[in-house]
């Protein structure tokens, strides 16, 4: 599942993998319009900078929350 939320001060992407044992790969090309102009993101949970926004891999029963940055 994917959620994209835009506020006046922040743009956030949330990805869920609710599978019990399947690793999910997510290509973000279908969200190209929403992600236009963003160069990187910050993982809200870990604080890690994410420089590659074209695809993500999510382990089973996990969530990825990214604050998009220009």
């Amino acid at each position: 599942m994917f959620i994209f939320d835009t506020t006046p001060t922040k743009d956030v992407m949330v990805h869920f993998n609710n599978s019990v044992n399947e690793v999910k790969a997510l290509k973000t090309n279908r969200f190209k319009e929403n992600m236009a102009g963003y160069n990187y993101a910050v993982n809200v949970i870990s604080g890690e900078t994410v420089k590659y926004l074209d695809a993500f891999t999510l382990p089973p029963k996990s969530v990825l929350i990214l604050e998009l940055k220009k």
Side-chain angles (χ1 to χ4, degrees):
M1 179 196 278
F2 167 79
I3 299 169
F4 188 91
D5 186 31
T6 302
T7 68
T9 58
K10 293 185 181 181
D11 297 306
V12 179
M13 291 175 60
V14 181
H15 302 278
F16 298 93
N17 180 358
N18 202 28
S19 174
V20 175
N21 55 11
E22 185 180 348
V23 174
K24 298 281 185 173
L26 172 69
K27 292 183 180 179
T28 60
N29 57 343
R30 65 183 180 187
F31 311 116
K32 194 176 225 174
E33 187 176 303
N34 294 21
M35 296 175 65
Y38 293 103
N39 299 317
Y40 69 101
V42 175
N43 184 322
V44 174
I45 297 169
S46 70
E48 175 185 0
T49 298
V50 178
K51 294 183 180 180
Y52 182 73
L53 298 177
D54 293 335
F56 303 101
T57 302
L58 281 81
K61 294 292 186 182
S62 67
V63 63
L64 176 64
I65 304 170
L66 298 174
E67 182 180 343
L68 298 170
K69 302 285 189 174
K70 294 184 179 186

